[in-house]
Amino acid sequence: MTETVASPHAGAVDGAGIGRLPSVVASGWNRAAVETKMFFREKDAVIFTFSFPIILLVIFGSIFQGELDGHITVAQLYTAGLIGAGVMSASFQNLGVGIAVDRDDGTLKRLAGTPMPRSAYFVGKILSVLALSVLEVAILLAVGVVMYDLNLPSAPGTWITFAWVFVLGITASSLLGIAVSSLPRSSKSATAVISMPFVVLQFISGVFIPFTVLPEWLMRIASFFPLRWMCQGFRSVFLGEAGASLELAKSYELGRVALVLGAWTVGGLVLCLTTFRWKGRRDG
């Protein structure tokens, strides 16, 4: 019978003295801690990530005042939409740009040559994104409640809806961010290449402009991508039944929200598996 002895550096050591590598979960958790620390050391990235949606909420909430049908204020509508945009920003945009930079400066190549399981890198990235997204949503909710009288739901079922929309949304967005990280030719172009489609999606997905006032061809384009459905799911949580009349189908269509986000999760995983590169273009 052999005994397992813990090692602070190389994981466990079996009775034959052979070191065993840490599990994917343990390695991913450690990587998440590293990624989160690195993010908060970049002061400009921290300020932009957390302040940008808050600034937009304050600006739009101050300019467009008044009530819509069902005694819903415009500020409440923007809060729900910006939560969806904030989640996608923390996952899709941050991951896409961050991984492109890691690839260009050789970080991915070096990590691929270490004993760390490759999957631990992605586990760490996604766990870090999850923590940042939770923090961003909490800040936006606090601003919405304090400044714009956002009504937080009291029914447990509504929070369950929030949870699955959040989880499916962040999973799909994270996988798409990993996949799109292969598009930029270098780290210098990563921000422009990845941010541009995300900005466009915000304008046509009901974040800044009510979805129902868009031309039909823009509605069709937006309905193909996950952000429109994330925003619609979050509106169901924070605007309640009164807000359903503002939707295109006069319903939140939560079944379709789950279907589209689930499909993008599967599609994003397929794209990651088929397109992800550990080396930069100049590395061959």
Side-chain angles (χ1 to χ4, degrees):
M1 181 176 179
T2 61
E3 296 181 357
T4 300
V5 181
S7 169
H9 302 291
V13 179
D14 61 20
I18 300 175
R20 295 187 309 188
L21 296 177
S23 67
V24 172
V25 175
S27 298
W29 184 262
N30 291 333
R31 186 67 199 175
V34 172
E35 293 285 348
T36 305
K37 289 178 181 178
M38 290 172 60
F39 173 80
F40 280 103
R41 286 174 181 169
E42 298 291 337
K43 303 301 183 183
D44 52 346
V46 174
I47 293 172
F48 179 81
T49 299
F50 291 112
S51 66
F52 187 63
I54 296 171
I55 291 173
L56 290 178
L57 176 57
V58 172
I59 290 176
F60 282 106
S62 301
I63 295 175
F64 302 104
Q65 299 181 354
E67 291 187 349
L68 304 172
D69 294 339
H71 302 290
I72 295 171
T73 66
V74 176
Q76 290 172 325
L77 186 66
Y78 277 125
T79 302
L82 282 168
I83 287 174
V87 169
M88 194 166 186
S89 173
S91 50
F92 172 79
Q93 185 171 259
N94 279 358
L95 273 183
V97 174
I99 294 175
V101 172
D102 284 349
R103 181 183 293 110
D104 194 53
D105 66 13
T107 298
L108 284 184
K109 185 178 179 181
R110 291 192 295 272
L111 288 175
T114 67
M116 183 187 77
R118 292 190 175 190
S119 55
Y121 172 78
F122 303 107
V123 172
K125 282 284 190 183
I126 292 175
L127 286 176
S128 178
V129 162
L130 178 61
L132 297 179
S133 298
V134 169
L135 181 57
E136 180 146 38
V137 169
I139 295 173
L140 284 170
L141 286 179
V143 173
V145 169
V146 173
M147 297 184 63
Y148 302 113
D149 298 321
L150 180 70
N151 296 318
L152 297 181
S154 56
T158 307
W159 284 111
I160 291 174
T161 299
F162 173 84
W164 67 254
V165 172
F166 179 83
V167 171
L168 279 178
I170 199 172
T171 302
S173 299
S174 296
L175 291 171
L176 289 174
I178 294 172
V180 80
S181 70
S182 297
L183 288 180
R185 298 187 64 86
S186 68
S187 59
K188 294 180 180 179
S189 64
T191 300
V193 170
I194 295 171
S195 296
M196 185 186 69
F198 175 58
V199 170
V200 172
L201 277 179
Q202 290 180 80
F203 278 97
I204 67 174
S205 298
V207 177
F208 304 131
I209 302 172
F211 189 72
T212 53
V213 305
L214 296 173
E216 185 177 353
W217 65 276
L218 280 180
M219 290 184 188
R220 292 179 182 273
I221 294 174
S223 296
F224 180 75
F225 294 99
L227 183 57
R228 177 255 164 115
W229 302 100
M230 288 168 60
C231 293
Q232 187 164 305
F234 286 129
R235 286 196 296 270
S236 77
V237 173
F238 298 108
L239 303 185
E241 292 301 323
S245 62
L246 303 175
E247 301 297 333
L248 185 64
K250 306 304 178 183
S251 167
Y252 290 117
E253 300 179 286
L254 291 179
R256 182 173 290 185
V257 171
L259 181 63
V260 174
L261 294 181
W264 271 109
T265 298
V266 175
L269 179 59
V270 172
L271 286 173
C272 289
L273 294 175
T274 55
T275 64
F276 188 80
R277 296 180 291 106
W278 288 89
K279 296 181 181 180
R281 299 178 189 272
R282 62 188 178 188
D283 295 325

